[in-house]
């Protein structure tokens, strides 16, 4: 499948940003568990969407940086930060997960949630993991997640490309490209990257990996 046939992720999410944001109110429990007991000088939310996880990071860091390819979602995130009073602790930046607009060794703590699976081809997904490794300071840790074949909606064992429609209030559907990972493939892509694996698991149909910066 050619992901370009569904439109690029930037235009797709710009189109659905307002409605999408309304359905994404709360941080994922897995993210909250990962952040429990952690703190940082700078934190990074890759694929920040409407900023719900940037908000959780801002509570544990002096500065939380949210990066997203969709300017529409960044507008939603900025509004959320303003309305909820965490704007002074955040910076929202337009950027690509495969070419992060973040300096080397810049962050101590990061989440990269539900975004990796929108990148194509595999080389771009691995490169985005390398970019996360580059941005993490020595001792830094990150949580990465992606949709998995373990999800109830899929009846496949191998990873595959697909589209998942987003339905707008008027009934219009907007297709979104996904690469659905098998757990073993998810682990293989991480192993191919510069990140160090601390542990992986499957939860609520998603693959999760807790990762650390490369040694040295």
């Amino acid at each position: 499948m050619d992901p370009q046939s569904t439109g690029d992720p930037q235009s797709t999410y710009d189109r659905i940003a307002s409605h999408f944001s309304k359905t994404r109110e709360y941080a994922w429990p897995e993210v909250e568990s990962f952040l429990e007991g952690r703190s940082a000088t700078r934190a990074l939310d890759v694929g920040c969407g409407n900023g719900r996880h940037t908000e959780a990071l801002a509570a544990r860091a002096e500065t939380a940086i949210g990066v997203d390819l969709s300017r529409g979602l960044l507008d939603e995130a900025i509004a959320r930060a303003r309305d909820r009073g965490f704007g002074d602790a955040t910076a929202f930046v337009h950027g690509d997960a495969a070419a992060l607009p973040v300096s080397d060794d810049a962050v101590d703590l990061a989440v990269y949630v539900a975004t990796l699976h929108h990148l194509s081809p595999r080389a771009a997904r691995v490169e985005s993991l390398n970019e996360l490794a580059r941005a993490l300071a020595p001792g830094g840790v990150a949580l990465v997640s992606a949709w998995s074949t373990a999800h109830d909606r899929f009846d496949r064992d191998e990873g595959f490309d697909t589209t998942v429609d987003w339905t707008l209030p008027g009934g219009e559907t907007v297709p979104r490209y996904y690469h659905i990972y098998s757990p073993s493939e998810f682990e293989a892509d991480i192993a191919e990257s510069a990140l160090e694996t601390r542990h992986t698991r499957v939860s609520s149909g998603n693959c999760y990996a807790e990762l650390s910066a490369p040694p040295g």
Side-chain angles (χ1 to χ4, degrees):
M1 175 183 299
D2 178 5
Q4 297 307 313
S5 67
T6 67
D8 66 279
Q10 180 173 352
S11 61
T12 295
Y13 277 90
D14 281 350
R15 193 170 178 185
I16 69 174
S18 178
H19 184 235
F20 182 85
S21 180
K22 289 180 174 65
T23 69
R24 298 296 188 271
E25 180 66 18
Y26 303 107
W28 285 8
E30 292 86 354
V31 173
E32 292 179 327
S33 295
F34 168 71
L35 294 178
E36 188 173 348
R38 300 187 189 277
S39 61
T41 301
R42 288 192 199 89
L44 175 64
D45 185 2
V46 182
C48 66
N50 72 343
R52 58 178 169 159
H53 293 128
T54 321
E55 181 176 3
L57 288 168
R60 299 182 175 276
E62 293 178 19
T63 304
I65 304 161
V67 176
D68 206 281
L69 192 61
S70 166
R71 294 187 186 276
L73 284 175
L74 288 172
D75 288 343
E76 295 288 334
I78 291 166
R80 180 186 179 111
R82 180 189 64 237
D83 294 345
R84 291 172 176 258
F86 64 96
D88 289 346
T90 58
F92 291 103
V93 184
H94 181 252
D96 189 330
L100 289 172
V102 178
S103 301
D104 294 359
D105 303 334
V107 300
D108 313 298
L109 186 61
V111 295
Y112 183 8
V113 171
T115 298
L116 178 66
H117 51 221
H118 291 310
L119 275 63
S120 180
R122 177 179 186 250
R125 294 191 288 272
V126 174
E127 184 55 32
S128 76
L129 295 169
N130 285 333
E131 279 289 277
L132 179 58
R134 179 187 62 77
L136 279 175
V141 292
L143 181 71
V144 176
S145 83
W147 268 24
S148 165
T149 55
H151 198 287
D152 291 344
R153 72 188 292 163
F154 305 121
D155 188 22
R156 304 266 296 262
D157 294 324
E158 301 295 324
F160 64 100
D161 293 336
T162 190
T163 57
V164 178
D165 285 345
W166 183 267
T167 303
L168 291 167
E172 178 189 2
T173 57
V174 181
R176 299 171 295 157
Y177 166 80
Y178 277 77
H179 179 75
I180 309 301
Y181 271 102
S182 70
S184 61
E185 182 192 18
F186 180 71
E187 292 175 7
D189 276 11
I190 291 168
E192 182 74 15
S193 79
L195 291 160
E196 296 288 312
T197 302
R198 301 176 70 158
H199 61 79
T200 61
R201 67 187 178 113
V202 174
S203 176
S204 302
N206 296 291
C207 291
Y208 287 89
E210 187 176 313
L211 307 162
S212 57

